[in-house]
Amino acid sequence: MAQVPTHVFRKYDIRGKVTGETPDLTPDLARWVGKAYGTYVQRNLGVKQVFVGGDNRLTTPAIKDALIEGLATTGIKVTDIGPVMTPTVYFASSSNEAAGGIMITGSHLTTDYNGIKMSYGRQALADDQIQDLLKLIQADDFEQGKGEVLKDYAMIDRHMETIKGKVHMGDRKLKVVVDSGNGLSGTYVPPVMEALGVEVICLFCEPDGTFPNHLPNPEDPELTKDLEAAVIANKADFGIAFDGDADRAGVIDEHGHHVAADRLLALLARDLLTRMPGSTIVFDVKSSQVLPDIIRESGGKPLMWQSGHSLMKRKMAEVGSPLGGEVSGHLFIGENYYGFDDGPLVALKVLELFSKTDKTLSQALGEMPSLIATPEIIMSAPDDVKFKIIDVVRDELQDKYEVVTVDGARAIFENGWGLVRASNTQPAITMRFEAHTRPQIVEYMKRFEALLDDYPQVDREKLDKQIEAFSQPA
């Protein structure tokens, strides 16, 4: 039986450390994963070919090559599509018959990490499917064959041409600043924007897998300060930032203020519902209460669901939703498209929306009701205790408040809510809070923090910083 680190087989991807004396994600493990994936999709999902791509991290090529080797031993047809963005892999598996896709990427995590995201058709492997891969590895139960291995490095060009054709710009000429965080989006997305008539100012658009300027995470306000300053300095209409593998895009308004992904989703939902009234819009449990209210007011049906890109896409397909998203920045467009998280397409849709109005981004957002919310607060917590923490917090809160348990524990307080859930991508728990006033948010954060007293393993630094920040006048 193969001995592999089981903790890297997570809820919706495989993710682990690639550095140190005992790394979790090695080429050897990737080879096993290739064998297991090739076996599983042929036996259970009718997949006949697999497209494999990778980001520009320095550890990606060796992992990708080993995974392709493993795939080929199962007799499945493999196409290496080269250095790409994650949505390019999704595009390949969605637009080809009986196809799967695998992306090697660490996304927004530090360079100590890398990962494997897997898809089939328009869906992603998640939950029990990923555990089934682990079982195949442990049982040494693989299909045998000699699969053909091809290369097609033009897939990303077809992807870009396709999404360019999904938008129809208005008369307003826009100026935007794009921060690619030294990921591959900097090579491919700005030219598409420019071809659509947008003036683009680039920040960190040169691919560099060491990420010398900042980690590419558009939802972390500590990592968007350069973009915020550049938007103001260049008097741009707004700024757009991509994460490392470009399945997420974040937006900064013309005043240099971060736009929460759920408020961006509200803008897109309001626009989509003018064309598709009555549609169900799916959003995650971390979202503002403003979002479902706007969806209802705009003639749509709101549906709260679990966080996680794989889980969101599955639910959207189940209910036939043309639009969905989560606070982490994964937004999913299914209107005349495949419904996966495509950061470049989301960015183009925002450009399209504002090319047809004279309103600034802040003005459009100002028309919505506004509650005060914290950013997503991510705190380190060991994998072996983070789910126990969620259970304890949930049980304590349920004695006093209404608690939504679709994903973690979202407690409904007197004038807002607070959420704690376990991260599925790293050893961490996440929290978010929303209320009418800053003192109310501070009170809710302190209620949650008190429940962590028995867990010194949790790094509370970010929570304490938010408590301090919200204790100050706005």
Side-chain angles (χ1 to χ4, degrees), residues 277-288:
S279 296
T280 298
I281 311 298
V282 183
F283 56 92
D284 78 322
V285 70
K286 294 178 286 186
S287 298
S288 167

Side-chain angles (χ1 to χ4, degrees), residues 29-84:
L29 177 59
R31 193 173 292 106
W32 288 115
V33 171
K35 289 174 178 284
Y37 176 93
T39 299
Y40 182 84
V41 297
Q42 289 183 88
R43 289 178 180 174
N44 300 284
L45 301 174
V47 170
K48 305 297 184 184
Q49 58 178 329
V50 184
F51 296 91
V52 183
D55 65 16
N56 61 314
R57 289 177 179 244
L58 304 187
T59 57
T60 289
I63 294 172
K64 187 182 76 165
D65 290 347
L67 187 138
I68 288 174
E69 288 177 16
L71 282 168
T73 66
T74 69
I76 199 167
K77 179 181 177 181
V78 185
T79 302
D80 177 358
I81 60 174
V84 296

Side-chain angles (χ1 to χ4, degrees), residues 175-179 190 194 198-205 227 230-231 233-236 240:
K175 179 196 291 187
V176 299
V177 182
V178 173
D179 182 349
E194 290 170 344
V198 178
E199 180 182 350
V200 180
I201 299 164
C202 265
L203 284 184
F204 317 132
C205 286
L227 178 59
V231 168
N234 290 281
K235 298 182 179 179
I240 298 174

